[in-house]
Amino acid sequence: MARQREEEATGSTDAARGHVKAFSAGYWEQFGTTRLGGSWVALKRCAGPPAVVGALIVGAALGLAPSAAANPTSSSRTEDLVRIEQFAQEEGSLLGVVLPGGSDRFIRLVESPLPKLHPPTGPADAYTVCVDAHDVQSGKAVKCTITIGTDAHSDTAAIESVIAHEVFHVFQAVMSGSLTNAGRPQSDWLTEGSAAWVDSDLVSDDEYGSHFWTGYLSAPEVPLFSRGYDAIGWFAHLASSGVDLWKRFPAIFSSTSNEAAYASATLGTGPAFLQDEASVFFREPAWGPAWDQVDQQHTKFANENVPSPAQVQLDTHKPFKPQKITFAAGDPSRTLTVAPYADRPVVVDVHLKPSDPFLVVTLLSGHARLHAAQGEGDADVTDPDGVSFCAQRAPCSCPGNTAQTSGELLKGDLAITGGPTGGSVKLSFGGCDLKPRPCVGLLPTSDFQVGPPPADWPAGTYTYTTTPLSEVPTANPGQCGVNYTLTVTVAGVLTVGPTDEVAGIYSLNTFKDAAAAQAALAKVVGNWDESPVSGIGDEAYVGADSGAVRVRNDVFHVNWESGVPPGESIEGVLRDVVQTLGA
């Protein structure tokens, strides 16, 4: 591809609008176009890959009647009209969308004599403008004009990529329902990212697509809604996760906000989609398919457009490397965060001391994937929930501490995906035994809110209220209770209360070592009808309204005197406690 085709449009939306005011009248006069008045609303082009194909330009009050000078009769025009028809048929068939009146009536072609075009969005090889029945960009699209510069004809692959891209912009305008929706602000990630995926999907040896891929693979921490053409990789990740994008696009483009479009695109993907989104930036196929960007397209040959790490380095002159952080003995716990709709690959270099040999990795929000480089092999952990690793070369020996079964971790490759909420992962370290701590404040009192009174209470109209719950230590060491105040009125007359009631009791006891804690837990469980459950702490037991968990040398037990309130669960409380004790 000629280097002059690799210009990048930059600047803010406001700057683009100001630029339009300066040249729009003369520009359209040059092409024999009648400008009816009004102002442009150009899509913001975000920083991304160097190659610019074109854009779907949604403005206001533009008449599009190209003169003969703008439509030279040539072999290139004839060939391009054939290509437009072919891609319109192929894309329409894949989408299940028909252009009103057929592509030959709906799409107009302008072959510009200029090498590089300069629409409001910046230098490009081609662009598409659609209008409604009133020749403005507001209602349903009734016709679109694709303008192509001479640079786009540098070779067959280039012109095919450009036309596939621009034809999809036409379908975007139709699927969006209205041109107002198609041109809503900050939607370049959707309009340009999906069109980039389409031309990469349908055209082999697509150098445009390869450059767009480079922009994606070299900047994982750019939020999705701030991307443009380089959102190609996100759409490809959807495809690799089993989403048929072609069938999904109509619903995506009918959405009226970025958040709604994202929700429609990811519908039914499950947690695996977000668990793998950030990990592919490591480009390590030896660790498994979740750790490299492979098989991302609808068509097999188009996977060749995904650049190798060496190609990314060649294009950017600086290879992408995940951030490296060192977590050493004496460091406080550390929380790594990533913005919503962004990704963060991190390499964690661990240096802990024998007295505190465990690295504890806890997902707080979003999704994450962890590759643990070990002495005897690698571990692949998704959404780690307080997972402990032995972070030293010598064996971590803690009798009764099952955390050591997670294996060792000498170096961790951590991929955090923000998704809609943003992501955060906490790193902490510890030894075999926990230090004693009071039970006061271990659980929020809201966990013990009680429900309505029993059905056999007096009939009539009454109110049932609880005062803010207070948490107080009981007379027993290591035991805390949660109280509430109850008042009931019937027909305006105070009938019951105020009374002091016990909502629940819980206890936390610290023993000299894990073996002593095991013995104590066995005794506690023997007094309650509780069954073992896996995946919570070192060992846990759950009953109808009570439960217990051991975290190394700590034993926690909870009992709801008033029954488990709606929306709560024994397992949920135990998991909260495990996370708190592991801090």
Side-chain angles (χ1 to χ4, degrees), residues 386-445:
V387 178
S388 297
F389 293 92
C390 179
Q392 62 181 20
R393 292 190 180 277
C396 294
S397 179
C398 291
N401 184 0
T402 57
Q404 61 186 308
T405 60
S406 297
E408 66 181 44
L409 183 149
L410 304 178
K411 185 186 75 172
D413 302 287
L414 181 61
I416 310 172
T417 301
T421 63
S424 58
V425 172
K426 182 177 182 179
L427 303 179
S428 56
F429 64 86
C432 297
D433 300 328
L434 298 173
K435 296 179 181 180
R437 57 166 292 170
C439 61
V440 176
L442 182 61
L443 290 180
T445 56

Side-chain angles (χ1 to χ4, degrees), residues 220-253:
E221 293 193 43
V222 175
L224 177 63
F225 299 162
S226 296
R227 292 188 182 274
Y229 295 95
D230 57 339
I232 182 176
W234 186 82
F235 285 99
H237 185 60
L238 273 175
S240 71
S241 300
V243 175
D244 186 339
L245 279 175
W246 289 104
K247 299 302 181 186
R248 187 69 61 88
F249 276 138
I252 295 173
F253 280 96

Side-chain angles (χ1 to χ4, degrees), residues 388-562:
S388 297
F389 293 92
C390 179
Q392 62 181 20
R393 292 190 180 277
C396 294
S397 179
C398 291
N401 184 0
T402 57
Q404 61 186 308
T405 60
S406 297
E408 66 181 44
L409 183 149
L410 304 178
K411 185 186 75 172
D413 302 287
L414 181 61
I416 310 172
T417 301
T421 63
S424 58
V425 172
K426 182 177 182 179
L427 303 179
S428 56
F429 64 86
C432 297
D433 300 328
L434 298 173
K435 296 179 181 180
R437 57 166 292 170
C439 61
V440 176
L442 182 61
L443 290 180
T445 56
S446 59
D447 283 342
F448 293 91
Q449 289 179 349
V450 296
D456 58 355
W457 281 35
T461 302
Y462 60 87
T463 60
Y464 174 80
T465 61
T466 58
T467 63
L469 301 177
S470 60
E471 187 176 43
V472 296
T474 67
N476 297 323
Q479 190 173 84
C480 291
V482 178
N483 295 354
Y484 67 92
T485 299
L486 171 67
T487 60
V488 178
T489 60
V490 178
V493 178
L494 179 65
T495 304
V496 178
T499 63
D500 290 328
E501 305 288 344
V502 177
I505 296 175
Y506 62 91
S507 63
L508 175 66
N509 290 282
T510 302
F511 298 86
K512 66 177 182 178
D513 55 32
Q518 279 183 303
L521 178 62
K523 185 177 180 179
V524 170
V525 172
N527 295 328
W528 297 83
D529 185 17
E530 297 169 346
S531 302
V533 294
S534 60
I536 304 178
D538 293 318
E539 51 183 322
Y541 296 82
V542 171
D545 53 15
S546 65
V549 64
R550 180 177 67 83
V551 180
R552 297 202 279 280
N553 57 314
D554 271 355
V555 173
F556 171 86
H557 190 269
V558 62
N559 174 44
W560 267 287
E561 294 285 342
S562 57

Side-chain angles (χ1 to χ4, degrees), residues 8 15 79 111 150 156 186 200 235 239 248 271 278 329 402 540 548 552:
E8 178 182 357
E79 293 168 355
E111 296 280 5
T150 59
T156 300
Q186 297 181 329
S200 180
F235 285 99
R248 187 69 61 88
T402 57
R552 297 202 279 280

